[in-house]
């Protein structure tokens, strides 16, 4: 779905962004008819309010949107997007001076508010468009919005139309768009080329497992993104209950996120050598499904005892991370809808991540704060390493006890990366209820923050 600002040649409607404590002063400079119109329509400047001001002929001449209070704004983001859907059709030009970061985020939010998932049913479009504000990087905002929309589309598509072959097709389309190369290892070729755990997890499904490998860029530092592409997760022989299976079309949210981030990187021409690895599988149930108590040997040579077939994401990521590490890039980042423990810890709105690299943490936290893309750091807590060591094998894919599940999963993944700087994101990938610029459904997390941080860390 394209993300676009209004055509600058269209007639433009001035838009005033007014906080609650600014309304009285603003009205003091307006004609009495305007003040009366504002009063009769109960416009107070509360966050999310919108009011069109008519001219003598009844056409919209100006519009107001409420900006609330500092406290009300702190409880959310993309505030103008919350009002955009309440405005009449037209191209709106922001007349109010806002801080540069706020203005860019509000413009991005307006673009994201235009998103519609209309593959299966028609959706009413957003009527109000935004004239690109001056002195902001509109190309960057468009790239970020398009990357986010790609992520949403992939997650929202049900597994009937987003299995491993379909995820491969989406990756091929993205690679072709940006002139990137792509190769795919499928089915039993995974065994021949030593990706045994990807094959094991996906072999029970009718649609063959595969490893998708995209490469782009010839100069700069090397960045490898690894995204969990479990297109549907039944839990395998440790079958999920129905309620837990209901959202498992989003279990490829890590793959969707790294593809969205890859679009942002390529569309903005970042000076890096990018690689994207996606192990794409379905965790299905059939006679050849892998079993509890099986012991698997990974690409790295580490053995893994299977104590729950529903902890499959870390298995496919492990083989992909091993391949990533063999190339010795400057940075490896994995993204995955990996653990319910992460949701218990921080809820659906925050993207928890793990990194021991001070420069990475500083750049990411700074970018997250200025790009309305919140993250939260969790620790690679070394004393918990013993929890993933079962004794009968090198590693346990599902330690018993129920404690620190997202940390032990991150520690498991880190075993497959040697000296390369590594960060892992345990995202949710789903907006449980509608919010400004974020309809209920698939959503990207941490990708805009990463896009900004990586530009500072790697692309300069």
């Amino acid at each position: 779905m394209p993300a676009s600002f209004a055509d600058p040649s269209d007639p433009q409607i001035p838009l005033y962004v007014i906080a609650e404590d600014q309304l009285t002063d603003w009205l003091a400079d307006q004609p009495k008819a305007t003040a009366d119109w504002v009063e009769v329509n109960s416009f107070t400047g509360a966050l999310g309010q919108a009011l069109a001001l008519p001219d003598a002929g009844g056409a919209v001449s100006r519009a107001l949107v409420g900006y609330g209070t500092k406290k009300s704004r702190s409880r959310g983001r993309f505030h103008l997007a919350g009002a955009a859907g309440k405005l009449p059709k037209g191209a709106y030009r922001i007349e109010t001076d806002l801080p540069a970061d706020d203005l860019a985020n509000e413009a991005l939010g307006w673009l994201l508010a235009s998103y519609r998932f209309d593959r299966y049913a028609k959706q009413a479009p957003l009527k109000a468009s935004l004239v690109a504000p001056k002195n902001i990087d509109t190309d960057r905002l468009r790239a970020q919005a398009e990357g986010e929309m790609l992520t949403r589309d992939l997650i929202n598509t049900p597994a009937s139309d987003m299995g491993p072959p379909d995820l491969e097709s989406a990756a091929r389309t993205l690679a072709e768009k940006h002139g990137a190369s792509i190769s795919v290892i499928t089915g039993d070729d995974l065994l021949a080329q030593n990706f045994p755990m990807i094959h094991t997890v996906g072999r029970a499904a009718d649609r063959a497992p595969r490893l998708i490998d995209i490469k782009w860029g010839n100069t700069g530092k090397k960045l490898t993104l690894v995204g969990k592409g479990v297109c549907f997760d039944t839990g395998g022989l440790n079958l999920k209950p129905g309620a837990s299976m209901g959202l498992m079309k989003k279990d490829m949210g890590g793959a969707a996120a790294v593809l969205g981030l890859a679009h942002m990187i390529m569309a903005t021409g970042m000076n890096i050598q990018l690689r994207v690895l996606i192990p794409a599988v379905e965790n299905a149930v059939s006679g050849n499904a892998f079993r509890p108590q099986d012991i698997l040997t990974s690409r790295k040579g580490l053995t893994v005892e299977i104590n729950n077939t529903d902890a499959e994401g870390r298995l496919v990521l492990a083989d992909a991370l091993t391949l990533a590490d063999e190339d010795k890039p400057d940075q490896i980042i994995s993204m995955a809808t990996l653990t319910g423990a992460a949701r218990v810890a921080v809820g659906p709105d925050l993207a928890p991540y793990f990194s021991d690299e001070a420069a990475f943490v500083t750049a990411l936290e700074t970018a997250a704060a200025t790009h309305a893309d919140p993250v939260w750091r969790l620790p690679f807590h070394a004393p918990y390493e013993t929890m993933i060591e079962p004794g009968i094998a090198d590693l346990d894919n599902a330690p018993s006890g129920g404690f620190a599940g997202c940390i032990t999963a991150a520690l498991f993944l880190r075993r497959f990366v040697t000296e390369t700087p590594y960060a892992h994101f345990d995202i949710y990938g789903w907006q449980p209820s509608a919010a400004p610029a974020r309809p209920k459904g698939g959503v990207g997390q941490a990708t805009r923050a990463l896009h900004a941080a990586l530009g500072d860390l790697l692309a300069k």
Side-chain angles (χ1 to χ4, degrees), residues 94-125:
I94 297 175
E95 294 290 338
T96 307
D97 289 334
L98 296 174
D101 287 342
D102 292 346
L103 182 60
N105 287 331
E106 297 297 1
L108 174 65
W110 200 303
L111 291 180
L112 292 175
S114 70
Y115 173 78
R116 300 291 186 273
F117 184 62
D118 55 6
R119 178 169 178 171
Y120 302 97
K122 291 183 179 181
Q123 307 289 335

Side-chain angles (χ1 to χ4, degrees), residues 384-404:
Y384 291 165
E385 291 276 4
T386 56
M387 296 170 64
I388 60 172
E389 296 170 346
I392 193 173
D394 294 318
L395 295 170
D396 183 341
N397 84 317
S400 61
F403 289 130

Side-chain angles (χ1 to χ4, degrees), residues 38 89 130 444:
V38 169
K89 183 177 181 180
L130 180 69

Side-chain angles (χ1 to χ4, degrees), residues 312-444:
E312 84 298 330
R314 67 201 70 184
L315 303 176
V316 299
L317 287 171
D319 275 354
L321 285 169
T322 301
L323 176 63
D325 190 55
E326 290 166 3
D327 192 41
K328 301 301 179 190
D330 296 284
Q331 178 74 56
I332 296 174
I333 297 171
S334 61
M335 304 191 81
T337 53
L338 202 63
T339 70
R343 307 290 72 74
V344 172
V346 300
D349 199 41
L350 284 167
Y353 75 99
F354 300 80
S355 173
D356 283 338
E357 303 295 325
F360 180 90
V361 170
T362 298
L364 179 69
E365 297 279 353
T366 300
T370 55
H371 287 73
D373 199 11
V375 299
W376 196 266
R377 187 184 179 195
L378 293 175
F380 280 125
H381 189 54
Y384 291 165
E385 291 276 4
T386 56
M387 296 170 64
I388 60 172
E389 296 170 346
I392 193 173
D394 294 318
L395 295 170
D396 183 341
N397 84 317
S400 61
F403 289 130
C406 54
I407 297 175
T408 56
L411 291 171
F412 180 99
L413 295 178
R414 193 173 66 167
R415 291 290 187 95
F416 296 88
V417 179
T418 53
E419 298 178 359
T420 304
Y422 173 54
H424 167 61
F425 289 75
D426 193 339
I427 63 174
Y428 189 51
W430 191 261
Q431 183 70 26
S433 58
R438 290 163 292 152
K440 181 179 179 179
V443 70

Side-chain angles (χ1 to χ4, degrees), residues 96-355:
T96 307
D97 289 334
L98 296 174
D101 287 342
D102 292 346
L103 182 60
N105 287 331
E106 297 297 1
L108 174 65
W110 200 303
L111 291 180
L112 292 175
S114 70
Y115 173 78
R116 300 291 186 273
F117 184 62
D118 55 6
R119 178 169 178 171
Y120 302 97
K122 291 183 179 181
Q123 307 289 335
L126 182 68
K127 296 178 180 179
S129 59
L130 180 69
V131 177
K134 296 179 181 179
N135 302 321
I136 64 171
D137 189 342
T138 54
D139 289 338
R140 176 181 64 86
L141 294 183
R142 275 192 291 261
Q144 291 183 342
E146 288 168 355
E148 168 68 18
M149 290 176 178
L150 171 61
T151 295
R152 293 180 183 185
D153 277 347
L154 294 174
I155 295 174
N156 284 330
T157 303
S160 55
D161 292 321
M162 191 49 65
D166 307 290
L167 189 52
E168 175 188 334
S169 178
R172 288 188 180 278
T173 298
L174 182 65
E176 181 179 353
K177 177 182 178 70
H178 294 290
S181 66
I182 183 170
S183 60
V184 181
I185 304 170
T186 306
D188 289 344
D189 287 344
L190 290 165
L191 292 176
Q193 297 190 45
N194 193 24
F195 297 98
M197 294 208 295
I198 299 174
H199 182 273
T200 296
V201 172
R203 72 191 181 198
D206 290 338
R207 295 178 286 188
R210 62 205 65 207
L211 177 63
I212 301 164
D213 188 348
I214 298 173
K215 294 179 180 178
W216 175 87
N218 299 311
T219 62
K221 294 182 178 180
K222 292 183 176 181
L223 167 68
T224 300
L225 306 176
V226 182
K228 175 186 170 185
V230 178
C231 295
F232 196 82
D233 182 18
T234 66
L237 292 177
N238 290 113
L239 194 67
K240 292 178 181 289
S244 299
M245 211 183 298
L247 274 182
M248 283 302 100
K249 71 174 184 178
K250 79 171 185 66
D251 212 23
M252 38 65 70
V258 298
L259 288 174
L261 176 55
H263 171 81
M264 298 177 197
I265 290 170
M266 294 186 288
T268 53
M270 223 180 246
N271 182 34
I272 61 173
Q273 298 179 64
L274 174 67
R275 189 179 195 183
V276 181
L277 296 172
I278 297 173
V281 302
E282 290 180 83
N283 188 20
V285 177
S286 72
N288 68 338
F290 72 118
R291 298 161 291 268
Q293 302 302 305
D294 282 354
I295 294 179
L296 310 181
T297 301
S298 67
R299 177 181 181 85
K300 192 177 181 69
L302 295 173
T303 55
V304 181
E305 182 181 18
I306 304 303
N307 281 307
N308 193 321
T309 62
D310 196 20
E312 84 298 330
R314 67 201 70 184
L315 303 176
V316 299
L317 287 171
D319 275 354
L321 285 169
T322 301
L323 176 63
D325 190 55
E326 290 166 3
D327 192 41
K328 301 301 179 190
D330 296 284
Q331 178 74 56
I332 296 174
I333 297 171
S334 61
M335 304 191 81
T337 53
L338 202 63
T339 70
R343 307 290 72 74
V344 172
V346 300
D349 199 41
L350 284 167
Y353 75 99
F354 300 80
S355 173

